[in-house]
Amino acid sequence: MKRSIIAGIGKYIPEHVETNDDLSQIMDTSDAWIQERTGIKERHFADKHKDTPASMGAKAAEIAIERAGISKEDVDFIIFATLSPDYYFPGSGVLMQRELGIAHTEIGALDVRTQCTGFIYGLTVADQFIRTGMYKNILLVGAEKHSMGLDFTTRGRNVSVIFGDGAGAVVLQPVEDENRGILASALHSDGTHAEILAMVNPGSHGGYHHEKLGLEVDFGFSESRYDPIFVTRKMLDAAQLFPYMDGPTVFKIAVQKFPAAILEVLEKAGKKPAELDLLVPHQANLRISQFVAKRLGLKEDQVYNNIQRYGNTTAASIPIALCEAWEEGRVKEGDLVCLAAFGSGFTWGANLMRW
Ligand code: COA
């Protein structure tokens, strides 16, 4: 029976380091507050003009492709996860294909829009294609450029201090070994709380969901059929073009769903938390990771965290952390590795694999 293994992994971190002290210069926050609540010390911000999710993804992909021992032309499918795409459309997947110089191969490129869980969804989709024999070298990328649109005033401080930019990539290949590769996956979503962690504008909603939910928000739409609803003057003036997050509610639900998804994949594979060599959780908040580890009875060396240096890089956070763990020798052949995420949507899920 075919299983999917990660044959190559790479990451790209933009050069500029933005420290908590840097942010404290432009808004009312402090290094102490940010570290105490989130564990974050610094994050990297992309170059405004040169780094895009597609270009950063391509840089991470080139490393993953080289480490997989294949050429770019061998890639037979692309999956690209991001919540901060280069364009509203087309998706960043085709832009990265062009950036890699493989547009002429005309391979399929699928964009995944499940935010922090993007890599888990992408990996699970890729796993199905590999198992059925449809593709043999799938390039899966998670990349984010959050710094392009955060509210860097005190008004937006609960969101803007958390996020960072970067990209991670893996190449997935088949192996004929039931005991290796992805052993179990779990994907979940619950749209009830979609607006609790969201960037609703620009969009085509026209106020529909807010009205249905009884939320009184004036987006400044005019009644003219011909006036745009995508972006309005009111959205710009009233800071309605930024992400919104009800942090405490997200925290409360995250600490329930993370352990549930991890236990689900362990149970599917007949394993126990103690058997895990490494858990690589989506880097949402160090306190969430610590809570999850405690809940599952995991020791400190069973969990990989690097949010301290990168912040929350959403779809890129798991492949960046996994890549770094692999580079440090924390992930070796034969290790039982669990990836898990929770985020906007809400969406959550996990993958269990034997490296
Ligand atoms: N610096 C200083 N003070 C800040 C701040 C900042 N960056 N952000 C918020 N505050 C203030 C608030 O204004 C509030 O002040 P008040 O009590 O005077 O009203 C106070 O700190 C507490 O705010 P609250 O939002 O309740 O803080 P919290 O303890 O819940 O921590 C988060 C905020 C965002 C760190 C926390 O809720 C969190 O991590 N949630 C999960 C977020 C997450 O994981 N998101 C990604 C999911 S993928």
Side-chain angles (χ1 to χ4, degrees):
M1 193 207 215
K2 278 193 192 64
R3 296 276 194 203
S4 321
I5 54 155
I6 292 180
I9 186 160
K11 67 179 191 315
Y12 172 77
I13 310 294
E15 213 175 295
H16 176 76
V17 177
E18 184 79 11
T19 64
N20 292 344
D21 287 334
D22 290 334
L23 292 177
S24 308
Q25 306 295 312
I26 52 164
M27 65 178 83
D28 182 11
T29 189
S30 67
D31 178 47
W33 192 97
I34 301 170
Q35 283 209 51
E36 190 192 313
R37 308 284 175 121
T38 70
I40 299 165
K41 295 184 173 139
E42 59 192 33
R43 75 286 293 140
H44 290 246
F45 281 169
D47 181 279
K48 220 170 196 168
H49 308 293
K50 294 191 189 115
D51 291 323
T52 80
S55 79
M56 293 190 289
K59 289 192 173 105
E62 279 174 353
I63 298 167
I65 288 167
E66 198 195 323
R67 286 176 174 168
I70 61 167
S71 78
K72 287 190 250 181
E73 278 74 17
D74 294 325
V75 172
D76 49 12
F77 195 65
I78 289 170
I79 303 180
F80 198 104
T82 186
L83 68 61
S84 50
D86 297 50
Y87 297 147
Y88 191 75
F89 73 86
S92 294
V94 297
L95 299 174
M96 185 185 70
Q97 183 205 40
R98 181 176 69 189
E99 189 78 7
L100 286 169
I102 54 169
H104 65 281
T105 62
E106 298 185 359
I107 56 166
L110 172 72
D111 281 67
V112 171
R113 295 287 315 269
T114 48
Q115 300 66 252
C116 299
T117 321
F119 191 79
I120 303 287
Y121 268 76
L123 195 59
T124 309
V125 169
D127 182 36
Q128 308 313 306
F129 283 138
I130 297 270
R131 279 174 190 246
T132 58
M134 185 155 173
Y135 298 119
K136 293 190 173 56
N137 288 298
I138 299 183
L139 174 60
L140 166 63
V141 172
E144 301 289 357
K145 185 176 176 179
H146 286 300
S147 59
M148 58 87 189
L150 295 171
D151 181 358
F152 288 112
T153 69
T154 297
R155 182 183 52 203
R157 64 184 177 174
N158 72 319
V159 174
S160 53
V161 301
I162 291 179
F163 293 97
D165 302 335
V170 296
V171 171
L172 288 142
Q173 289 177 349
V175 279
E176 293 288 345
D177 181 349
E178 281 200 20
N179 300 313
R180 283 192 69 201
I182 299 171
L183 306 175
S185 299
L187 299 179
H188 294 286
S189 71
D190 175 355
T192 311
H193 308 292
E195 287 76 14
I196 277 181
L197 174 50
M199 182 164 156
V200 303
N201 301 316
S204 47
H205 59 86
Y208 173 80
H209 303 291
H210 287 75
E211 194 172 320
K212 223 174 155 194
L213 291 167
L215 302 171
E216 278 179 32
V217 186
D218 175 9
F219 292 110
F221 300 127
S222 94
E223 285 313 312
S224 164
R225 177 191 300 282
Y226 305 106
D227 280 345
I229 57 165
F230 192 62
V231 180
T232 65
R233 172 58 50 199
K234 179 85 193 285
M235 287 177 194
L236 285 164
D237 294 344
Q240 294 170 339
L241 282 159
F242 293 118
Y244 168 82
M245 177 174 74
D246 171 354
T249 303
V250 174
F251 196 102
K252 236 182 281 165
I253 302 177
V255 295
Q256 293 164 19
K257 299 303 184 189
F258 260 108
I262 296 163
L263 289 171
E264 184 179 342
V265 290
L266 284 169
E267 194 182 320
K268 278 186 184 175
K271 310 280 181 205
K272 297 260 175 308
E275 292 176 73
L276 275 179
D277 291 294
L278 201 65
L279 167 67
V280 181
H282 160 54
Q283 303 292 296
N285 180 322
L286 189 60
R287 307 295 159 239
I288 294 178
S289 286
Q290 288 165 337
F291 195 96
V292 171
K294 199 167 162 210
R295 174 73 217 291
L296 297 174
L298 299 175
K299 296 195 234 78
E300 210 174 302
D301 66 354
Q302 282 177 286
V303 186
Y304 193 83
N305 287 304
N306 64 5
I307 191 171
Q308 299 91 331
R309 286 173 285 121
Y310 301 123
N312 179 343
T313 56
T314 308
S317 98
I318 290 179
I320 289 174
L322 187 60
C323 181
E324 209 165 76
W326 179 81
E327 287 168 349
E328 289 170 9
R330 296 272 307 269
V331 180
K332 301 172 293 300
E333 200 170 315
D335 280 358
L336 189 63
V337 179
C338 185
L339 313 177
F342 172 86
S344 160
F346 293 125
T347 60
W348 65 100
N351 303 107
L352 185 71
M353 66 183 78
R354 179 75 68 189
W355 197 266

mmCIF file with all atom_site columns, all heavy atoms in Angstrom, residues 332-348:
data_model
loop_
_atom_site.group_PDB
_atom_site.id
_atom_site.type_symbol
_atom_site.label_atom_id
_atom_site.label_alt_id
_atom_site.label_comp_id
_atom_site.label_asym_id
_atom_site.label_entity_id
_atom_site.label_seq_id
_atom_site.pdbx_PDB_ins_code
_atom_site.Cartn_x
_atom_site.Cartn_y
_atom_site.Cartn_z
_atom_site.occupancy
_atom_site.B_iso_or_equiv
_atom_site.pdbx_formal_charge
_atom_site.auth_seq_id
_atom_site.auth_comp_id
_atom_site.auth_asym_id
_atom_site.auth_atom_id
_atom_site.pdbx_PDB_model_num
ATOM 1   N N   . LYS A 1 332 ? 14.113  12.588 12.819 1.00 0.00 ? 332 LYS A N   1
ATOM 2   C CA  . LYS A 1 332 ? 14.977  11.612 12.142 1.00 0.00 ? 332 LYS A CA  1
ATOM 3   C C   . LYS A 1 332 ? 14.130  10.494 11.559 1.00 0.00 ? 332 LYS A C   1
ATOM 4   O O   . LYS A 1 332 ? 12.971  10.298 11.969 1.00 0.00 ? 332 LYS A O   1
ATOM 5   C CB  . LYS A 1 332 ? 15.968  11.022 13.149 1.00 0.00 ? 332 LYS A CB  1
ATOM 6   C CG  . LYS A 1 332 ? 16.860  12.058 13.819 1.00 0.00 ? 332 LYS A CG  1
ATOM 7   C CD  . LYS A 1 332 ? 17.692  11.478 14.941 1.00 0.00 ? 332 LYS A CD  1
ATOM 8   C CE  . LYS A 1 332 ? 16.902  11.008 16.151 1.00 0.00 ? 332 LYS A CE  1
ATOM 9   N NZ  . LYS A 1 332 ? 16.092  11.993 16.851 1.00 0.00 ? 332 LYS A NZ  1
ATOM 10  N N   . GLU A 1 333 ? 14.727  9.757  10.634 1.00 0.00 ? 333 GLU A N   1
ATOM 11  C CA  . GLU A 1 333 ? 13.999  8.652  10.007 1.00 0.00 ? 333 GLU A CA  1
ATOM 12  C C   . GLU A 1 333 ? 13.473  7.703  11.090 1.00 0.00 ? 333 GLU A C   1
ATOM 13  O O   . GLU A 1 333 ? 14.187  7.380  12.043 1.00 0.00 ? 333 GLU A O   1
ATOM 14  C CB  . GLU A 1 333 ? 14.931  7.897  9.052  1.00 0.00 ? 333 GLU A CB  1
ATOM 15  C CG  . GLU A 1 333 ? 14.124  7.094  8.055  1.00 0.00 ? 333 GLU A CG  1
ATOM 16  C CD  . GLU A 1 333 ? 14.969  6.526  6.929  1.00 0.00 ? 333 GLU A CD  1
ATOM 17  O OE1 . GLU A 1 333 ? 15.805  7.275  6.385  1.00 0.00 ? 333 GLU A OE1 1
ATOM 18  O OE2 . GLU A 1 333 ? 14.780  5.346  6.629  1.00 0.00 ? 333 GLU A OE2 1
ATOM 19  N N   . GLY A 1 334 ? 12.232  7.326  10.955 1.00 0.00 ? 334 GLY A N   1
ATOM 20  C CA  . GLY A 1 334 ? 11.625  6.405  11.923 1.00 0.00 ? 334 GLY A CA  1
ATOM 21  C C   . GLY A 1 334 ? 10.873  7.109  13.045 1.00 0.00 ? 334 GLY A C   1
ATOM 22  O O   . GLY A 1 334 ? 10.117  6.478  13.782 1.00 0.00 ? 334 GLY A O   1
ATOM 23  N N   . ASP A 1 335 ? 11.047  8.433  13.170 1.00 0.00 ? 335 ASP A N   1
ATOM 24  C CA  . ASP A 1 335 ? 10.366  9.182  14.236 1.00 0.00 ? 335 ASP A CA  1
ATOM 25  C C   . ASP A 1 335 ? 8.861   9.279  13.976 1.00 0.00 ? 335 ASP A C   1
ATOM 26  O O   . ASP A 1 335 ? 8.429   9.408  12.822 1.00 0.00 ? 335 ASP A O   1
ATOM 27  C CB  . ASP A 1 335 ? 10.929  10.607 14.344 1.00 0.00 ? 335 ASP A CB  1
ATOM 28  C CG  . ASP A 1 335 ? 12.246  10.656 15.114 1.00 0.00 ? 335 ASP A CG  1
ATOM 29  O OD1 . ASP A 1 335 ? 12.693  9.597  15.592 1.00 0.00 ? 335 ASP A OD1 1
ATOM 30  O OD2 . ASP A 1 335 ? 12.820  11.753 15.220 1.00 0.00 ? 335 ASP A OD2 1
ATOM 31  N N   . LEU A 1 336 ? 8.089   9.240  15.077 1.00 0.00 ? 336 LEU A N   1
ATOM 32  C CA  . LEU A 1 336 ? 6.643   9.455  14.975 1.00 0.00 ? 336 LEU A CA  1
ATOM 33  C C   . LEU A 1 336 ? 6.398   10.951 15.198 1.00 0.00 ? 336 LEU A C   1
ATOM 34  O O   . LEU A 1 336 ? 6.673   11.483 16.279 1.00 0.00 ? 336 LEU A O   1
ATOM 35  C CB  . LEU A 1 336 ? 5.913   8.627  16.039 1.00 0.00 ? 336 LEU A CB  1
ATOM 36  C CG  . LEU A 1 336 ? 4.394   8.569  15.929 1.00 0.00 ? 336 LEU A CG  1
ATOM 37  C CD1 . LEU A 1 336 ? 3.957   7.883  14.626 1.00 0.00 ? 336 LEU A CD1 1
ATOM 38  C CD2 . LEU A 1 336 ? 3.783   7.836  17.126 1.00 0.00 ? 336 LEU A CD2 1
ATOM 39  N N   . VAL A 1 337 ? 5.897   11.619 14.157 1.00 0.00 ? 337 VAL A N   1
ATOM 40  C CA  . VAL A 1 337 ? 5.756   13.085 14.182 1.00 0.00 ? 337 VAL A CA  1
ATOM 41  C C   . VAL A 1 337 ? 4.287   13.461 13.987 1.00 0.00 ? 337 VAL A C   1
ATOM 42  O O   . VAL A 1 337 ? 3.617   12.903 13.114 1.00 0.00 ? 337 VAL A O   1
ATOM 43  C CB  . VAL A 1 337 ? 6.606   13.729 13.054 1.00 0.00 ? 337 VAL A CB  1
ATOM 44  C CG1 . VAL A 1 337 ? 6.442   15.242 13.045 1.00 0.00 ? 337 VAL A CG1 1
ATOM 45  C CG2 . VAL A 1 337 ? 8.077   13.359 13.213 1.00 0.00 ? 337 VAL A CG2 1
ATOM 46  N N   . CYS A 1 338 ? 3.809   14.378 14.801 1.00 0.00 ? 338 CYS A N   1
ATOM 47  C CA  . CYS A 1 338 ? 2.430   14.849 14.663 1.00 0.00 ? 338 CYS A CA  1
ATOM 48  C C   . CYS A 1 338 ? 2.430   16.346 14.333 1.00 0.00 ? 338 CYS A C   1
ATOM 49  O O   . CYS A 1 338 ? 3.171   17.124 14.945 1.00 0.00 ? 338 CYS A O   1
ATOM 50  C CB  . CYS A 1 338 ? 1.663   14.605 15.962 1.00 0.00 ? 338 CYS A CB  1
ATOM 51  S SG  . CYS A 1 338 ? -0.086  15.016 15.820 1.00 0.00 ? 338 CYS A SG  1
ATOM 52  N N   . LEU A 1 339 ? 1.639   16.714 13.359 1.00 0.00 ? 339 LEU A N   1
ATOM 53  C CA  . LEU A 1 339 ? 1.443   18.131 13.011 1.00 0.00 ? 339 LEU A CA  1
ATOM 54  C C   . LEU A 1 339 ? -0.010  18.464 13.362 1.00 0.00 ? 339 LEU A C   1
ATOM 55  O O   . LEU A 1 339 ? -0.905  17.650 13.098 1.00 0.00 ? 339 LEU A O   1
ATOM 56  C CB  . LEU A 1 339 ? 1.656   18.362 11.512 1.00 0.00 ? 339 LEU A CB  1
ATOM 57  C CG  . LEU A 1 339 ? 2.895   17.739 10.867 1.00 0.00 ? 339 LEU A CG  1
ATOM 58  C CD1 . LEU A 1 339 ? 2.909   18.019 9.361  1.00 0.00 ? 339 LEU A CD1 1
ATOM 59  C CD2 . LEU A 1 339 ? 4.165   18.276 11.517 1.00 0.00 ? 339 LEU A CD2 1
ATOM 60  N N   . ALA A 1 340 ? -0.247  19.634 13.941 1.00 0.00 ? 340 ALA A N   1
ATOM 61  C CA  . ALA A 1 340 ? -1.624  19.983 14.317 1.00 0.00 ? 340 ALA A CA  1
ATOM 62  C C   . ALA A 1 340 ? -1.830  21.484 14.210 1.00 0.00 ? 340 ALA A C   1
ATOM 63  O O   . ALA A 1 340 ? -0.901  22.263 14.455 1.00 0.00 ? 340 ALA A O   1
ATOM 64  C CB  . ALA A 1 340 ? -1.914  19.529 15.741 1.00 0.00 ? 340 ALA A CB  1
ATOM 65  N N   . ALA A 1 341 ? -3.040  21.872 13.833 1.00 0.00 ? 341 ALA A N   1
ATOM 66  C CA  . ALA A 1 341 ? -3.309  23.309 13.686 1.00 0.00 ? 341 ALA A CA  1
ATOM 67  C C   . ALA A 1 341 ? -4.752  23.637 14.033 1.00 0.00 ? 341 ALA A C   1
ATOM 68  O O   . ALA A 1 341 ? -5.648  22.783 13.973 1.00 0.00 ? 341 ALA A O   1
ATOM 69  C CB  . ALA A 1 341 ? -3.009  23.759 12.254 1.00 0.00 ? 341 ALA A CB  1
ATOM 70  N N   . PHE A 1 342 ? -4.944  24.903 14.394 1.00 0.00 ? 342 PHE A N   1
ATOM 71  C CA  . PHE A 1 342 ? -6.275  25.453 14.639 1.00 0.00 ? 342 PHE A CA  1
ATOM 72  C C   . PHE A 1 342 ? -6.237  26.907 14.196 1.00 0.00 ? 342 PHE A C   1
ATOM 73  O O   . PHE A 1 342 ? -5.229  27.593 14.404 1.00 0.00 ? 342 PHE A O   1
ATOM 74  C CB  . PHE A 1 342 ? -6.619  25.387 16.139 1.00 0.00 ? 342 PHE A CB  1
ATOM 75  C CG  . PHE A 1 342 ? -7.894  26.111 16.461 1.00 0.00 ? 342 PHE A CG  1
ATOM 76  C CD1 . PHE A 1 342 ? -9.121  25.463 16.352 1.00 0.00 ? 342 PHE A CD1 1
ATOM 77  C CD2 . PHE A 1 342 ? -7.878  27.451 16.839 1.00 0.00 ? 342 PHE A CD2 1
ATOM 78  C CE1 . PHE A 1 342 ? -10.308 26.142 16.610 1.00 0.00 ? 342 PHE A CE1 1
ATOM 79  C CE2 . PHE A 1 342 ? -9.060  28.139 17.108 1.00 0.00 ? 342 PHE A CE2 1
ATOM 80  C CZ  . PHE A 1 342 ? -10.279 27.473 16.990 1.00 0.00 ? 342 PHE A CZ  1
ATOM 81  N N   . GLY A 1 343 ? -7.306  27.372 13.588 1.00 0.00 ? 343 GLY A N   1
ATOM 82  C CA  . GLY A 1 343 ? -7.305  28.781 13.210 1.00 0.00 ? 343 GLY A CA  1
ATOM 83  C C   . GLY A 1 343 ? -8.627  29.256 12.654 1.00 0.00 ? 343 GLY A C   1
ATOM 84  O O   . GLY A 1 343 ? -9.670  28.591 12.789 1.00 0.00 ? 343 GLY A O   1
ATOM 85  N N   . SER A 1 344 ? -8.550  30.409 12.002 1.00 0.00 ? 344 SER A N   1
ATOM 86  C CA  . SER A 1 344 ? -9.722  31.089 11.467 1.00 0.00 ? 344 SER A CA  1
ATOM 87  C C   . SER A 1 344 ? -10.621 30.155 10.683 1.00 0.00 ? 344 SER A C   1
ATOM 88  O O   . SER A 1 344 ? -10.174 29.313 9.925  1.00 0.00 ? 344 SER A O   1
ATOM 89  C CB  . SER A 1 344 ? -9.232  32.245 10.582 1.00 0.00 ? 344 SER A CB  1
ATOM 90  O OG  . SER A 1 344 ? -10.248 32.650 9.702  1.00 0.00 ? 344 SER A OG  1
ATOM 91  N N   . GLY A 1 345 ? -11.910 30.348 10.876 1.00 0.00 ? 345 GLY A N   1
ATOM 92  C CA  . GLY A 1 345 ? -12.907 29.527 10.148 1.00 0.00 ? 345 GLY A CA  1
ATOM 93  C C   . GLY A 1 345 ? -14.104 29.157 11.019 1.00 0.00 ? 345 GLY A C   1
ATOM 94  O O   . GLY A 1 345 ? -15.196 29.419 10.666 1.00 0.00 ? 345 GLY A O   1
ATOM 95  N N   . PHE A 1 346 ? -13.957 28.482 12.179 1.00 0.00 ? 346 PHE A N   1
ATOM 96  C CA  . PHE A 1 346 ? -12.713 27.869 12.591 1.00 0.00 ? 346 PHE A CA  1
ATOM 97  C C   . PHE A 1 346 ? -12.428 26.616 11.779 1.00 0.00 ? 346 PHE A C   1
ATOM 98  O O   . PHE A 1 346 ? -13.365 25.889 11.422 1.00 0.00 ? 346 PHE A O   1
ATOM 99  C CB  . PHE A 1 346 ? -12.746 27.500 14.077 1.00 0.00 ? 346 PHE A CB  1
ATOM 100 C CG  . PHE A 1 346 ? -12.805 28.710 14.988 1.00 0.00 ? 346 PHE A CG  1
ATOM 101 C CD1 . PHE A 1 346 ? -13.819 28.844 15.930 1.00 0.00 ? 346 PHE A CD1 1
ATOM 102 C CD2 . PHE A 1 346 ? -11.848 29.713 14.900 1.00 0.00 ? 346 PHE A CD2 1
ATOM 103 C CE1 . PHE A 1 346 ? -13.862 29.960 16.773 1.00 0.00 ? 346 PHE A CE1 1
ATOM 104 C CE2 . PHE A 1 346 ? -11.881 30.812 15.745 1.00 0.00 ? 346 PHE A CE2 1
ATOM 105 C CZ  . PHE A 1 346 ? -12.892 30.933 16.675 1.00 0.00 ? 346 PHE A CZ  1
ATOM 106 N N   . THR A 1 347 ? -11.150 26.370 11.535 1.00 0.00 ? 347 THR A N   1
ATOM 107 C CA  . THR A 1 347 ? -10.728 25.109 10.954 1.00 0.00 ? 347 THR A CA  1
ATOM 108 C C   . THR A 1 347 ? -9.656  24.535 11.855 1.00 0.00 ? 347 THR A C   1
ATOM 109 O O   . THR A 1 347 ? -8.928  25.284 12.500 1.00 0.00 ? 347 THR A O   1
ATOM 110 C CB  . THR A 1 347 ? -10.135 25.305 9.545  1.00 0.00 ? 347 THR A CB  1
ATOM 111 O OG1 . THR A 1 347 ? -9.000  26.177 9.639  1.00 0.00 ? 347 THR A OG1 1
ATOM 112 C CG2 . THR A 1 347 ? -11.145 25.894 8.571  1.00 0.00 ? 347 THR A CG2 1
ATOM 113 N N   . TRP A 1 348 ? -9.585  23.228 11.916 1.00 0.00 ? 348 TRP A N   1
ATOM 114 C CA  . TRP A 1 348 ? -8.520  22.594 12.696 1.00 0.00 ? 348 TRP A CA  1
ATOM 115 C C   . TRP A 1 348 ? -8.290  21.178 12.163 1.00 0.00 ? 348 TRP A C   1
ATOM 116 O O   . TRP A 1 348 ? -9.108  20.640 11.413 1.00 0.00 ? 348 TRP A O   1
ATOM 117 C CB  . TRP A 1 348 ? -8.843  22.607 14.194 1.00 0.00 ? 348 TRP A CB  1
ATOM 118 C CG  . TRP A 1 348 ? -10.031 21.802 14.632 1.00 0.00 ? 348 TRP A CG  1
ATOM 119 C CD1 . TRP A 1 348 ? -10.026 20.560 15.186 1.00 0.00 ? 348 TRP A CD1 1
ATOM 120 C CD2 . TRP A 1 348 ? -11.423 22.200 14.580 1.00 0.00 ? 348 TRP A CD2 1
ATOM 121 N NE1 . TRP A 1 348 ? -11.318 20.156 15.480 1.00 0.00 ? 348 TRP A NE1 1
ATOM 122 C CE2 . TRP A 1 348 ? -12.186 21.144 15.118 1.00 0.00 ? 348 TRP A CE2 1
ATOM 123 C CE3 . TRP A 1 348 ? -12.092 23.343 14.116 1.00 0.00 ? 348 TRP A CE3 1
ATOM 124 C CZ2 . TRP A 1 348 ? -13.586 21.193 15.213 1.00 0.00 ? 348 TRP A CZ2 1
ATOM 125 C CZ3 . TRP A 1 348 ? -13.489 23.382 14.199 1.00 0.00 ? 348 TRP A CZ3 1
ATOM 126 C CH2 . TRP A 1 348 ? -14.204 22.329 14.744 1.00 0.00 ? 348 TRP A CH2 1
#
